[in-house]
Amino acid sequence: MKMIVKIGTMISILLFVLAVGYFALVRLDIIGRSRDINLFSLVPSDCIGVLESGNVNAFLNECSNLNYSRELEGSQFPGLFSFLINELNDYTSETHGLSSEMSRLLVSFHRPGTSMDQVVYFRMGMTDEQLLSDILQEYMPGNFLPKEEVYRGKTMSVYPLYHDRYLVAYTEKEFVVLSFQKRLVERVIDAQLDESSVSRDAVFTNMINKKKTQSLLRLYGKSTLLPFLDSDTECWSEFDFHLNSDVLYLMGETYAPEASDYMAKVEECLKDIPVINEEGIIVSAQKDSTVFFMNQAFDMNDGGNRTLFNECVANLAEETVFSLVTDMRKVEENPRRFKTYLPPFILNNVSSFAPFVLSVQLSLTGESLTHMWVFTYKN
């Protein structure tokens, strides 16, 4: 679940990529470039997560309809919604968005997991140069010159930014890689030359191959789902993002080398989860208790005591093996109490999530562990 811990910094790099405008100064011959390059073949295998966007334009359009964007601006998502919705939309509104090539990109995340420990991989469309040139004028210092460095026969260009930061770029005919860290770009080159990328990871490849449709935003994290589950560094968990005006959904599945063994570990962990039924909080890893809470919430709503919390409880699925519903105000009052159930990123930004009711559900189906996180905005 550490991938959700990093979600803020994960998406922040997306806006960084769109802001740097590196290509306004570097003339690339993009005619004849392959649009089908497997960007995963460049991602170092020791990454802790990968963010994939199949269509940034559509994601921006959905963001513009969110009622809760202002609440999330206060979290540790540097410039996330404010930049994507306001500033970037200002640049793309007159040009009908980014090209199809640029709209598809990856971001990889690396230890120790700060906003500096990220790498961006993307294709470049012929119509994107002027857009990035315009952004460049606002976000880059004037009259800077790149410095070229060679690593294993590959040339990297190092560009100075404001505040003593540097942008490192590695380009070839089929792709472009950007990072604040030269060492991470070198790791990309290693993965490329040594054929040691994340696409060589059998569990990761199995997860990727099972996805047949593109997602506006999909996160892959090398970890288990929740803090109370046993840590397994060989596991990968995926999260598909789905947005509407009042709800943020994260849905997906966890993959392990030996699925049956991992499911057995999960079942053992669930036996230690206590049943909690308090005002604004329910936790259950027992089907009977979950069904009872659902019926209780349904009766309370039907009896005139309708609340958003009760609606969220009533909408749980009976087949879940673990359910948690809480008004995030309760978490804000006592974050330490929820350390077992919620990732650090949520706890560290609890005031930003306070305007939501959170529902978490885990389901075991055969050798599959699926999950759904639902943040419902309290208008």
Side-chain angles (χ1 to χ4, degrees):
M1 193 55 206
K2 293 180 181 177
M3 68 295 259
I4 287 189
V5 175
K6 307 301 179 186
I7 185 172
T9 54
M10 289 177 176
I11 303 180
S12 71
I13 195 63
L14 172 61
L15 60 90
F16 154 72
V17 174
L18 301 176
V20 294
Y22 160 76
F23 298 97
L25 301 179
V26 180
R27 301 287 182 173
L28 295 177
D29 178 12
I30 59 176
I31 298 174
R33 294 195 324 178
S34 171
R35 294 183 180 182
D36 298 321
I37 176 69
N38 178 14
L39 294 180
F40 290 114
S41 67
L42 303 172
V43 178
S45 59
D46 60 357
C47 68
I48 59 176
V50 182
L51 184 71
E52 177 185 22
S53 178
N55 191 332
V56 173
N57 289 326
F59 175 72
L60 291 173
N61 290 335
E62 290 210 11
C63 282
S64 65
N65 298 318
L66 301 179
N67 290 332
Y68 50 84
S69 60
R70 185 178 299 275
E71 278 69 19
L72 293 184
E73 287 179 9
S75 66
Q76 294 175 6
F77 307 176
L80 169 59
F81 284 100
S82 62
F83 186 92
L84 288 176
I85 294 174
N86 299 320
E87 301 184 35
L88 187 56
N89 273 344
D90 288 342
Y91 285 108
T92 60
S93 59
E94 296 182 0
T95 60
H96 307 290
L98 306 172
S99 71
S100 59
E101 293 92 349
M102 189 176 177
S103 285
R104 299 163 56 199
L105 55 83
L106 298 180
V107 183
S108 62
F109 309 94
H110 305 264
R111 292 181 175 86
T114 72
S115 60
M116 300 289 290
D117 302 310
Q118 304 162 355
V119 182
V120 182
Y121 316 73
F122 68 105
R123 306 164 183 87
M124 192 65 177
M126 300 244 345
T127 61
D128 293 322
E129 185 172 355
Q130 185 58 51
L131 167 65
L132 293 176
S133 179
D134 293 340
I135 300 176
L136 170 72
Q137 301 305 316
E138 181 171 347
Y139 288 93
M140 286 291 188
N143 301 320
F144 64 87
L145 296 175
K147 175 184 177 182
E148 290 191 351
E149 296 191 16
V150 177
Y151 177 75
R152 296 186 66 179
K154 302 293 185 179
T155 301
M156 301 177 293
S157 298
V158 182
Y159 287 81
L161 306 178
Y162 289 113
H163 308 300
D164 297 324
R165 289 187 177 184
Y166 292 86
L167 170 67
V168 182
Y170 167 46
T171 65
E172 287 200 356
K173 184 174 64 174
E174 298 88 358
F175 60 83
V176 179
V177 174
L178 299 171
S179 179
F180 285 130
Q181 301 274 10
K182 187 179 73 169
R183 65 174 178 83
L184 293 181
V185 177
E186 291 174 346
R187 292 289 297 118
V188 171
I189 294 173
D190 289 338
Q192 178 192 23
L193 297 180
D194 298 338
E195 297 184 351
S196 59
S197 70
V198 71
S199 62
R200 298 285 177 166
D201 185 311
V203 178
F204 183 85
T205 301
N206 178 46
M207 176 176 61
I208 295 296
N209 289 342
K210 290 188 69 172
K211 285 298 176 183
K212 304 301 181 181
T213 59
Q214 285 191 346
S215 175
L216 297 185
L217 210 63
R218 181 178 292 140
L219 178 63
Y220 307 102
K222 198 169 187 181
S223 69
T224 52
L225 285 169
L226 294 166
F228 68 79
L229 296 177
D230 283 343
S231 177
D232 191 330
T233 57
E234 300 303 317
C235 286
W236 281 91
S237 298
E238 64 181 356
F239 296 83
D240 280 352
F241 287 65
H242 301 272
L243 312 174
N244 69 29
S245 59
D246 294 311
V247 184
L248 167 63
Y249 301 89
L250 298 104
M251 298 177 287
E253 187 174 343
T254 294
Y255 298 79
E258 298 294 336
S260 58
D261 292 344
Y262 180 69
M263 296 306 125
K265 291 180 181 179
V266 171
E267 291 178 341
E268 285 299 313
C269 292
L270 292 171
K271 292 178 181 179
D272 297 327
I273 300 299
V275 175
I276 301 174
N277 183 16
E278 302 174 7
E279 182 181 357
I281 308 171
I282 70 103
V283 176
S284 175
Q286 301 176 11
K287 181 176 180 179
D288 291 344
S289 297
T290 301
V291 172
F292 173 79
F293 296 154
M294 293 169 59
N295 292 334
Q296 183 184 58
F298 181 84
D299 292 341
M300 293 176 68
N301 278 342
D302 197 45
N305 187 22
R306 180 173 294 276
T307 65
L308 180 59
F309 175 81
N310 286 336
E311 289 182 7
C312 291
V313 174
N315 288 330
L316 292 173
E318 293 185 6
E319 64 271 17
T320 59
V321 296
F322 172 80
S323 300
L324 178 150
V325 181
T326 181
D327 186 322
M328 289 300 294
R329 295 288 182 191
K330 295 291 185 179
V331 183
E332 186 179 33
E333 294 170 1
N334 187 4
R336 292 179 62 86
R337 184 184 183 190
F338 292 84
K339 188 175 181 180
T340 302
Y341 310 110
L342 301 180
F345 176 77
I346 293 179
L347 299 179
N348 293 340
N349 294 277
V350 66
S351 60
S352 297
F353 291 101
F356 294 83
V357 173
L358 170 63
S359 305
V360 182
Q361 300 180 73
L362 303 184
S363 299
L364 284 173
T365 306
E367 295 187 349
S368 174
L369 175 62
T370 59
H371 58 90
M372 178 183 294
W373 294 66
V374 182
F375 291 87
T376 306
Y377 183 48
K378 299 181 292 187
N379 297 13

